[in-house]
Amino acid sequence: MYHDFNYEATLASSLKAQWELDDVLLDGQPLDFSRNMMPESLARTAELDMLNPFEQRTLNQISAHQYLSIFGIVEEFILPFLIDHARPHLLGDDWRVRAILNFASEEAKHIHLFKRFHTAFVRGFPVECRVIGPSEAIGAEVLAHDPLAVGLVILMIEWMTQQHYLGSIHDDGELDPLFKSLMRHHWMEEAQHAKLDTLIVDALATGRSEEQIDRAMDEFFAIGGFLDEGLKTQAGFNLDALERAIGRQVENRDAVLNQQHQAGRWTYIGSGMVHERFQDTLQSMSRSAADRIAEAAPVFA
Ligand SMILES: [Fe+2]
Ligand SMILES: [Fe+2]
């Protein structure tokens, strides 16, 4: 076995790591708009020298708005996936049922937390930032795929939040402490979710032939391509918001658009693809699945 995760131990560590919304952000608490909110390793706004420092920070904050929105969207399809996965086994292993329902409940709490941050953002930011969606349509498109493909996407997303947390640590002192706290608290619970996702993916892959796994990987890439298109559209919305906020057009708009799309690719796809634990799961499932992801990863770097 390539890991020692199990439902009983993961439930126990989940219950120990749990926090409340108010531990992270109080209802009505303001964010600090004099600082960056996203780690530079994710937002990649400091390298845009056609923008002055104030404009770079404004785009960094728009990138934080994107983060709240995109995580809101993905958590909204993780929740029904978990419920669907738990339902046929409600009378089975008690640890498993409780661990997965607790996982679902934490994900519902994350949706709530991201909304609370989003409300605080909208209250403090001068212009409206548009978001792709509606989230129900995005979720329906993702969930229409093979559950193994969806499970792998979710596993990748949960592991990537570790990379996001580490990025926020490296930006120490620069970032709005509330956003740092968001990254830390989210990862604390996602670390447990990723273990459960690993068990879920193992179960969904068991008994599948190499060819069946390969077809699920095709669907994984179809979901990835769909999300990537959304990220490209979102990068355009972000630049629209930046231009409204700074009252001028951005020079070399196409180059900035591509650069910001690439930052989104790394944040929401690539940083999970290269996670060691995600690769371990792929390797244990199928060598060729792992090779396919390794081949695609540089596109999302
Ligand atoms: Fe979450
Ligand atoms: Fe999660």
Side-chain angles (χ1 to χ4, degrees), residues 8 13 19 24 31 33 65 72 75 80 83 99 109 118 122 136 150 158 160 216 227 234 239 266 291:
E8 183 178 352
S13 36
W19 39 261
V24 192
L31 302 176
F33 285 90
H65 175 272
E75 309 263 16
I83 302 283
K109 182 179 68 184
H118 187 262
V122 169
E136 298 91 319
V150 181
E158 313 260 21
M160 75 174 58
L227 295 176
Q234 186 60 50
L239 286 196
W266 166 250
D291 289 348

Side-chain angles (χ1 to χ4, degrees), residues 63 79 98 136 138 159 161 183 191 235 286:
S63 164
L79 189 52
R98 290 182 57 205
E136 298 91 319
I138 295 175
W159 282 127
T161 60
M183 300 280 186
S286 137

Side-chain angles (χ1 to χ4, degrees), residues 32-298:
D32 185 354
F33 285 90
S34 71
R35 293 174 186 245
N36 278 347
M37 293 173 178
M38 284 294 277
E40 175 57 21
S41 58
L42 305 179
R44 300 184 183 173
T45 47
E47 62 192 66
L48 293 168
D49 49 20
M50 68 290 282
L51 302 178
N52 67 37
F54 169 77
E55 293 169 340
Q56 289 174 353
R57 196 178 67 210
T58 303
L59 185 57
N60 178 292
Q61 291 167 354
I62 294 169
S63 164
H65 175 272
Q66 164 177 268
Y67 195 83
L68 301 173
S69 308
I70 298 288
F71 264 94
I73 289 169
V74 302
E75 309 263 16
E76 277 181 37
F77 68 71
I78 295 177
L79 189 52
F81 175 81
L82 291 172
I83 302 283
D84 287 351
H85 188 75
R87 190 173 171 88
H89 309 284
L90 287 176
L91 299 177
D93 174 359
D94 294 323
W95 293 117
R96 183 177 179 285
V97 173
R98 290 182 57 205
I100 293 181
L101 290 180
N102 180 63
F103 177 177
S105 153
E106 288 179 354
E107 226 56 287
K109 182 179 68 184
H110 297 176
I111 292 172
H112 196 168
L113 180 68
F114 282 111
K115 277 188 194 155
R116 187 177 276 191
F117 265 85
H118 187 262
T119 303
F121 187 95
V122 169
R123 214 170 31 230
F125 198 70
V127 299
E128 197 198 328
C129 305
R130 215 175 135 193
V131 183
I132 53 169
S135 55
E136 298 91 319
I138 295 175
E141 172 79 28
V142 171
L143 293 170
H145 287 279
D146 180 337
L148 176 57
V150 181
L152 282 166
V153 168
I154 293 172
L155 176 68
M156 179 178 81
I157 290 169
E158 313 260 21
W159 282 127
M160 75 174 58
T161 60
Q162 181 178 38
Q163 188 68 40
H164 302 169
Y165 162 63
L166 293 173
S168 77
I169 292 298
H170 295 311
D171 266 300
D172 198 30
E174 299 283 324
L175 298 185
D176 176 6
L178 292 169
F179 256 86
K180 280 181 74 163
S181 169
L182 171 69
M183 300 280 186
R184 184 167 70 85
H185 283 88
H186 196 212
W187 164 241
M188 276 162 63
E189 292 188 349
E190 298 297 85
Q192 309 312 319
H193 298 178
K195 295 179 194 169
L196 297 176
D197 289 326
T198 302
L199 295 167
I200 291 173
V201 165
D202 286 352
L204 289 169
T206 299
R208 296 214 192 195
S209 67
E210 190 65 36
E211 199 197 331
Q212 287 169 324
I213 288 179
D214 209 42
R215 274 207 299 274
M217 290 309 293
D218 291 343
E219 297 204 30
F220 173 91
F221 281 106
I223 297 170
F226 170 70
L227 295 176
D228 185 37
E229 270 305 306
L231 291 173
K232 188 173 177 188
T233 306
Q234 186 60 50
F237 290 164
N238 292 351
L239 286 196
D240 295 343
L242 175 67
E243 289 177 336
R244 277 198 300 279
I246 66 178
R248 71 171 180 91
Q249 298 231 305
V250 171
E251 290 159 54
N252 297 329
R253 198 180 199 278
D254 287 348
V256 178
L257 183 74
N258 286 336
Q259 190 266 3
Q260 283 296 293
H261 176 209
Q262 197 60 34
R265 282 178 154 174
W266 166 250
T267 304
Y268 304 103
I269 300 174
S271 58
M273 269 186 168
V274 300
H275 198 288
E276 238 183 5
R277 293 290 205 167
F278 180 60
Q279 291 175 342
D280 288 348
T281 293
L282 292 166
Q283 282 289 356
S284 89
M285 202 175 73
S286 137
R287 184 88 172 262
S288 107
D291 289 348
R292 285 181 71 180
I293 296 282
E295 233 169 77

